[in-house]
């Protein structure tokens, strides 16, 4: 997503990875819409806390965060013994899984990373494969959202009122968003329509400007999104 801050426009992903620092990079969503900040989690424990404390939220976003967190934990291991490494990975996995115990995406993401790691014959190989698999999970999330946009754009016509429900924007995924993707694609085709964003929940992640209107204004969708909050 392109974000404009103080006149400067830059592309950001909700979740990314800094290999040099072995850190997960996250947009600090609790500060939005008043402040835009990218934070770095220094280790897998900090990454798990970011999920628990809702620094990052949304199915695709927390899935990618967990995938990167598992790779982060793998890369932090110092040693060459595979049995010890596997025990360490088990600890990292359980820590990240417990960060949001009811969520499915983090577990699926980490299972995908662990499966890819099995092709490695050494600790170093498995560490490399872990990060590659986490990057692939994040890129796959973007591809899926882009595909939703491509297929869904045809459903949007000029003059329509479009309602998004729940946490379905760019910030809930690695990029683009799910329900918002067809809107961006339709706008790129020159269509004009109005967007209504509903549901607030604990931290306004559905309707209020932190979650629904904020990304739309920053992209922007060329209408003023209407927030429909819960009671």
């Amino acid at each position: 997503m392109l974000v404009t801050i103080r006149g400067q426009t830059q592309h950001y992903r909700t979740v990314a990875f800094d290999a040099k620092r072995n850190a997960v990079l996250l947009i600090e969503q609790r500060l939005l819409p008043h402040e835009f900040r990218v934070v770095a989690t220094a280790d897998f424990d900090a990454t798990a806390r970011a999920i628990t404390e809702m620094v990052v939220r949304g199915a695709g976003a927390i899935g990618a965060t967990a995938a990167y967190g598992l790779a982060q934990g793998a890369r932090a291991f110092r040693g060459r013994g595979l049995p010890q490494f596997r025990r360490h990975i088990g600890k990292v996995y359980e820590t990240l899984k417990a960060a949001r115990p009811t969520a499915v995406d983090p577990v699926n993401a980490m299972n995908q990373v662990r499966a890819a790691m099995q092709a490695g014959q050494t600790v170093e190989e498995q560490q490399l494969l872990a990060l590659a698999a986490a990057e692939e999970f994040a890129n796959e999330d973007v591809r899926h959202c882009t595909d939703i946009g491509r297929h869904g754009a045809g459903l949007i016509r000029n003059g329509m009122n479009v309602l998004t429900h729940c946490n379905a924007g760019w910030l809930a995924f690695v990029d683009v968003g799910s329900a918002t993707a067809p809107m961006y694609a339709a706008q790129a085709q020159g269509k004009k329509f109005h967007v209504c964003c509903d549901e607030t929940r604990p931290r306004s992640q559905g309707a209020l400007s932190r979650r629904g209107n904020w990304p739309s204004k920053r992209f922007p969708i060329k209408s003023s999104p209407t927030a429909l909050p819960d009671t």
Side-chain angles (χ1 to χ4, degrees):
M1 178 63 63
L2 295 175
V3 177
T4 301
I5 304 293
R6 291 186 290 276
Q8 299 295 317
T9 301
Q10 183 177 336
H11 180 267
Y12 288 90
R13 282 187 168 188
T14 306
V15 186
F17 194 79
D18 185 335
K20 290 183 178 179
R21 292 190 288 168
N22 196 36
V24 181
L25 306 179
L26 302 167
I27 294 174
E28 225 298 10
Q29 298 186 35
R30 298 173 301 180
L31 301 179
L32 298 174
H34 308 293
E35 180 182 350
F36 181 84
R37 184 191 303 173
V38 176
V39 298
T41 57
D43 54 41
F44 71 88
D45 285 311
T47 300
R49 285 195 300 273
I51 296 173
T52 299
E53 296 172 6
M54 300 187 81
V55 171
V56 60
R57 62 195 79 144
I62 64 173
T65 301
Y68 280 132
L70 189 67
Q72 179 184 39
R75 285 160 54 89
F77 179 79
R78 297 292 179 264
R80 296 185 178 181
L82 278 173
Q84 296 90 336
F85 179 67
R86 292 191 187 101
R87 286 195 294 270
H88 171 74
I89 291 299
K91 176 185 175 182
V92 175
Y93 180 95
E94 293 300 327
T95 299
L96 290 161
K97 179 182 177 181
R100 192 73 58 81
T102 59
V104 174
D105 288 72
V107 173
N108 289 342
M110 291 192 293
N111 287 346
Q112 186 171 317
V113 173
R114 289 183 88 174
M117 292 170 63
Q118 298 311 304
Q121 301 300 310
T122 66
V123 169
E124 183 178 7
E125 287 178 0
Q126 292 200 14
Q127 289 171 327
L128 292 170
L129 289 167
L131 181 55
E135 292 282 14
E136 175 55 26
F137 182 89
N139 292 334
E140 184 180 54
D141 183 78
V142 177
R143 290 195 298 270
H144 288 169
C145 289
T146 302
D147 287 344
I148 290 172
R150 180 166 51 84
H151 289 291
L155 301 175
I156 299 177
R157 300 185 300 276
N158 277 316
M160 287 186 76
N161 290 312
V162 181
L163 174 69
T164 69
H165 179 69
C166 192
N167 197 1
W170 155 58
L171 291 166
F173 294 84
V174 177
D175 205 345
V176 184
S178 56
T180 53
M183 301 177 205
Y184 300 141
Q187 179 174 272
Q189 295 170 2
K191 297 177 183 177
K192 297 180 180 180
F193 49 92
H194 183 79
V195 181
C196 296
C197 308
D198 76 352
E199 195 177 33
T200 57
R201 301 193 297 173
R203 292 184 182 269
S204 305
Q205 61 259 48
L208 298 183
S209 56
R210 296 183 188 187
R211 301 295 308 167
N213 296 2
W214 189 86
S216 297
K217 286 180 179 177
R218 286 292 191 255
F219 186 66
I221 289 175
K222 293 178 173 59
S223 70
S224 296
T226 300
L228 305 175
D230 292 343
T231 56

